[in-house]
Amino acid sequence: MPARRIVIVIPTYDEADNVTQLLNRVRGASPGADVLFVDDQSPDGTAERIREHAAHDPHVFLMSKEQKQGLGAAYRAGFAWALDHGYDVVVQMDADLSHPPERIGSLVAALNHADVAVGSRYVPQGSVQNWAWTRRLISRLGNLYVRLLLAVPVHDSTAGFKAFRADALHAIDVLGSTSNGYCFQIENTWKAHRAGLRIAEVPITFVDRTRGSSKMSGAIAAEALTKVLAWRWAELTGPRVHAPVASTHARSVPS
């Protein structure tokens, strides 16, 4: 079987303090993969640091967007580039070092028996470090909200560390997604489940950022709450669609 072509898509905005260390860890953990950064016109020099690395590493690419449009728009642009360039596997992750690059291989390996692999904080052997109890509670309640309203059997639907087979991205019409903030993660997990795709959860240790500032805001949280409710309402009031049996359960993959 020929080796799968893998690209890791990483949106950036004001991550100059993290991007060099991130690149070194990603390239060390996945030397055969390409890395695409999608920068939202960071004013802090993030793009310049990526260009410096790309100048001597043919596996590193930079897409500079004309204006800041949010996380969902950045991922849609990156996924479109990946699909246009014929990659077999697309990995997504944050640029703030909260997602461990050393687990990329485990996510990709999970695609041997799944269509989507989720780097999960909330399965056995998964964990969160350096979060206050209030943030842990909000995250847990947010995931419970998604599981109850959308009946998605995934413990970490809000996870931003995922790997997709290319055909899975086509199946969920990722380029037609409508979310702009972190709700983008929920939308794709929900659509993967409804499409009958096989979803595996791979345990990770999520470490809160130590440099830079979080992009989370009240507007982003509100988008997630309202969109989840709107999607469920549309399902209840629209034509009934039965999800295929394959989508009924998400598997947890041991560390």
Side-chain angles (χ1 to χ4, degrees):
M1 178 183 297
R4 290 182 290 190
R5 294 186 64 224
I6 301 167
V7 63
I8 302 158
V9 178
I10 308 175
T12 54
Y13 184 75
D14 280 359
E15 296 291 356
D17 290 339
N18 296 313
V19 73
T20 299
Q21 182 183 349
L22 173 67
L23 252 174
N24 290 335
R25 287 177 61 186
V26 168
R27 295 291 293 121
S30 303
D34 290 340
V35 185
L36 171 67
F37 287 92
V38 183
D39 187 66
D40 262 354
Q41 292 296 317
S42 297
D44 71 340
T46 298
E48 286 73 13
R49 297 199 179 191
I50 297 169
R51 287 192 189 97
E52 290 171 3
H53 198 114
H56 59 80
D57 188 340
H59 288 280
V60 177
F61 301 88
L62 172 65
M63 176 188 296
S64 292
K65 298 179 85 269
E66 293 183 358
Q67 59 183 343
K68 189 175 187 294
Q69 296 175 309
L71 185 72
Y75 269 127
R76 281 188 287 273
F79 288 170
W81 185 92
L83 294 173
D84 285 345
H85 285 77
Y87 288 94
D88 304 300
V89 171
V90 181
V91 178
Q92 64 166 76
M93 66 186 303
D94 290 347
D96 60 5
L97 299 172
S98 59
H99 298 149
E102 296 74 20
R103 295 296 280 161
I104 292 172
S106 298
L107 285 179
V108 174
L111 297 182
N112 291 331
H113 54 76
D115 303 295
V116 181
V118 177
S120 179
R121 298 162 287 187
Y122 303 130
V123 294
Q125 300 180 53
S127 63
V128 174
Q129 291 183 2
N130 304 330
W131 267 9
W133 70 269
T134 49
R135 191 169 177 186
R136 290 173 186 261
L137 180 62
I138 291 170
S139 178
R140 288 280 193 175
L141 289 176
N143 276 286
L144 180 61
Y145 177 75
V146 173
R147 292 189 76 189
L148 291 177
L149 261 68
L150 297 181
V152 175
V154 175
H155 297 84
D156 199 351
S157 292
T158 61
F161 191 23
K162 293 188 177 80
F164 299 87
R165 294 185 183 213
D167 54 4
L169 291 176
H170 286 296
I172 65 175
D173 185 25
V174 70
L175 302 185
S177 61
T178 60
S179 303
N180 289 317
Y182 288 92
C183 189
F184 178 80
Q185 320 296 8
I186 301 171
E187 181 174 4
N188 290 332
T189 304
W190 165 64
K191 288 169 74 174
H193 174 248
R194 291 299 190 268
L197 302 185
R198 300 165 297 171
I199 304 172
E201 293 194 80
V202 177
I204 67 161
T205 297
F206 179 100
V207 181
D208 195 20
R209 68 160 64 237
T210 58
R211 291 177 291 186
S213 59
S214 172
K215 312 304 187 296
M216 178 60 74
S217 67
I220 289 173
E223 180 196 29
L225 289 171
T226 55
K227 277 189 173 290
V228 167
L229 190 60
W231 293 331
R232 186 54 180 155
W233 178 253
E235 288 185 328
L236 290 173
T237 58
R240 180 171 291 275
V241 177
H242 295 283
V245 174
S247 71
T248 305
H249 299 287
R251 279 196 344 118
S252 176
V253 178
S255 175

